[in-house]
C-alpha cells in the first residue's frame, strides 16, 4: 500500500510563504515615472536586464522566470492596465556588458521602469569595487536621464558564499551606489536568507544542484515580492516629494 503523504500545499499557500517575513525585508520602491505613465497612458512597460537570474537559468520553463511571474502578477492585479515585462537577461554577462546594451535593450524600448540585476560575476571574480561602482553609476544615470525609473536587485544569498571573501563588499557597493543615486534596491539577499534560516522552503525548492541558480519556487517568490512593491508604488498614496524654492539670482 502506498504511504499517505498528505495534501500538497496549494498555490495560494505557497504564495503566502513567499510573503512571510516581508516586514523584516521590505521592498517599497519609489517609482514616479512608472506611476505617471500608468496614470497618463494606462500602460506599464518594464524591462528586466540582467544575467542568468533574469534569463531564468534553473527554471523549468520560460514562463517560470521571475520577469514572467512579475508580468503575470501585474496583469492579474492591474486588469485595466496594459502591462508588458520585457526579459533582457543574458546568462554570464557582467555589469559592463549590460551597460554596453543599456541603450539598445532598455532605453530604445521606452519603458517606465527597468529592473537591473547584476553583481554576482563581479563579486565572484573580484573585478574591482570602484570599477563596479563606476559602471553602476553610468548605467543608472543613463537610464535616469531618459526619464526611466530604476530598481536594482541585490545579489542572491548563496549557501556557499564563504568561498567568495569579497561577496558582501560588492553587495555594499551596489547598495551604496543605488542609495547615492536615488535608486530603490530589491532586497533579494535578505529575502532568500530569511527563507533559508526559517526553513519555510526546503533548499531544493529554492536553489538548484549547482548551489547558485534559483529554481521555480524561488523565482515565483521573487517575482511575487517584486510585483507587491511595484503595485504599491504605482497605485498607493502619492509619496511626498520635497519641493525646493526656485532661485531668483
Amino acid at each position: 500500500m502506498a504511504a499517505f503523504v498528505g495534501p500538497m500545499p496549494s498555490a495560494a499557500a505557497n504564495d503566502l510563504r513567499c510573503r512571510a517575513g516581508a516586514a523584516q525585508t521590505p521592498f517599497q520602491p519609489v517609482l514616479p515615472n512608472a506611476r505617471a505613465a500608468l496614470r497618463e497612458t494606462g500602460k506599464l512597460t518594464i524591462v528586466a536586464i540582467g544575467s542568468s537570474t533574469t534569463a531564468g537559468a534553473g527554471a523549468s520553463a520560460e514562463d517560470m522566470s521571475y520577469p514572467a511571474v512579475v508580468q503575470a502578477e501585474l496583469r492579474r492585479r492591474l486588469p485595466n492596465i496594459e502591462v508588458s515585462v520585457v526579459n533582457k537577461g543574458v546568462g554570464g554577462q557582467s555589469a559592463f556588458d549590460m551597460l554596453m546594451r543599456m541603450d539598445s535593450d532598455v532605453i530604445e524600448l521606452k519603458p517606465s521602469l527597468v529592473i537591473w540585476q547584476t553583481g554576482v560575476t563581479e563579486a565572484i571574480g573580484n573585478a574591482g569595487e570602484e570599477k563596479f561602482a563606476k559602471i553602476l553609476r553610468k548605467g543608472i544615470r543613463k537610464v535616469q536621464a531618459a526619464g526611466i525609473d530604476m530598481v536594482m536587485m541585490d545579489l542572491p544569498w548563496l549557501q556557499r558564499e564563504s568561498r567568495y571573501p569579497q561577496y558582501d563588499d560588492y553587495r555594499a557597493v551596489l547598495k551604496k551606489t543605488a542609495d547615492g543615486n536615488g535608486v530603490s534596491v530589491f532586497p533579494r539577499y535578505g529575502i532568500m536568507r530569511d527563507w533559508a534560516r526559517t526553513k519555510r522552503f526546503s533548499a531544493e525548492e529554492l536553489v538548484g544542484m549547482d548551489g547558485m541558480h534559483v529554481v521555480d519556487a524561488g523565482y515565483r517568490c521573487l517575482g511575487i515580492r517584486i510585483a507587491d512593491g511595484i503595485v504599491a508604488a504605482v497605485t498607493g498614496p502619492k509619496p511626498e516629494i520635497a519641493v525646493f524654492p526656485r532661485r531668483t539670482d
Side-chain angles (χ1 to χ4, degrees), residues 86-228:
V86 183
N87 190 333
K88 290 293 184 178
V90 179
Q93 283 207 329
S94 67
F96 180 77
D97 294 329
M98 297 172 211
L99 175 63
M100 290 298 97
R101 59 189 180 94
M102 199 66 76
D103 284 315
S104 60
D105 281 7
V106 176
I107 294 173
E108 287 186 8
L109 299 182
K110 298 181 179 179
S112 51
L113 169 63
V114 59
I115 303 171
W116 191 5
Q117 170 264 312
T118 190
V120 174
T121 297
E122 286 74 15
I124 290 176
N126 193 19
E129 294 173 34
E130 182 50 44
K131 178 182 177 182
F132 181 48
K134 185 176 181 179
I135 291 168
L136 294 183
R137 285 194 296 270
K138 286 185 176 181
I140 290 169
R141 291 168 183 173
K142 181 183 287 285
V143 167
Q144 290 177 333
I148 302 168
D149 292 329
M150 177 179 281
V151 166
M152 296 219 66
M153 186 180 289
D154 193 7
L155 277 63
W157 174 84
L158 300 177
Q159 292 173 301
R160 296 186 284 273
E161 180 185 314
S162 59
R163 293 181 177 183
Y164 315 111
Q166 289 81 28
Y167 197 79
D168 280 344
D169 296 334
Y170 282 83
R171 289 188 55 239
V173 168
L174 185 146
K175 183 69 165 62
K176 181 179 179 180
T177 306
D179 288 348
N181 288 275
V183 170
S184 301
V185 176
F186 176 66
R188 174 168 53 150
Y189 182 94
I191 290 171
M192 293 183 69
R193 182 181 60 185
D194 178 68
W195 289 338
R197 289 181 175 177
T198 59
K199 302 187 185 302
R200 292 192 183 96
F201 293 84
S202 67
E204 294 76 16
E205 285 181 287
L206 295 174
V207 182
M209 293 294 290
D210 62 1
M212 292 284 291
H213 293 111
V214 177
V215 291
D216 289 354
Y219 279 130
R220 177 157 185 81
C221 282
L222 291 174
I224 285 173
R225 294 283 283 269
I226 291 170
D228 286 347

